[in-house]
């Protein structure tokens, strides 16, 4: 079931991930740190934490990739999709981009959930 904690975690993950991304000193994986912190602060079981972290960053990264794709009429994503084994499919590249970020964030959120649970014991 979807509850307010779950939705809050998705929104906070996307928001803090975006902020980490626009900071010039943050590496590409800086959102993993913020996702872990969100999972520690918004307590959920590991499965829900993984899903909320995954969805937050998946939606952020796929949305930003789609927006960038629209800004340059798909030229860049088409060329990158030709280099990768995606047969020039820009939409598939956008989905792969979201999945990669989502998996990193999901595992970071699950780690944050386990960290919170272990600190209580």
């Amino acid at each position: 079931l979807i509850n307010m904690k779950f939705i809050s975690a998705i929104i906070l993950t996307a928001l803090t991930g975006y902020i980490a991304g626009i900071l010039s000193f943050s590496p590409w994986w800086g959102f993993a740190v913020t996702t872990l912190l969100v999972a520690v602060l918004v307590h959920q079981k590991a499965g829900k934490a993984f899903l909320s972290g995954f969805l937050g960053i998946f939606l952020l990264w796929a949305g930003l990739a789609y927006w960038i794709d629209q800004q340059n009429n798909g030229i860049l994503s088409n060329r990158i999709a030709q280099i990768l084994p995606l047969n020039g499919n820009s939409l598939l590249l956008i989905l792969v981009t979201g999945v990669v970020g989502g998996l990193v964030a999901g595992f970071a959120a699950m780690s944050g959930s386990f960290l919170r649970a272990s600190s209580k014991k």
Side-chain angles (χ1 to χ4, degrees), residues 6-110:
F6 183 73
I7 293 170
S8 298
I10 291 172
I11 293 169
L12 279 173
T13 298
L15 183 64
T16 58
Y18 181 76
I19 291 169
I22 61 174
L23 296 176
S24 61
F25 58 85
S26 175
W28 74 266
W29 48 265
F31 68 90
V33 176
T34 61
T35 302
L36 183 134
L37 292 174
V38 168
V40 168
L41 295 174
V42 181
H43 181 61
Q44 300 180 93
K45 291 186 178 185
K48 276 195 172 181
F50 178 90
L51 190 58
S52 64
F54 180 91
L55 286 174
I57 297 300
F58 173 84
L59 294 171
L60 175 67
W61 273 28
L64 287 173
Y66 180 76
W67 180 72
I68 291 168
D69 186 55
Q70 294 303 305
Q71 297 300 312
N72 64 29
N73 295 321
I75 295 170
L76 180 62
S77 64
N78 188 304
R79 289 186 181 170
I80 293 172
Q82 287 174 356
I83 293 170
L84 297 173
L86 301 175
N87 296 327
N89 189 338
S90 298
L91 183 59
L92 190 55
L93 178 66
I94 290 168
L95 291 175
V96 167
T97 299
V99 167
V100 168
L103 285 173
V104 173
F107 286 119
M110 191 167 59

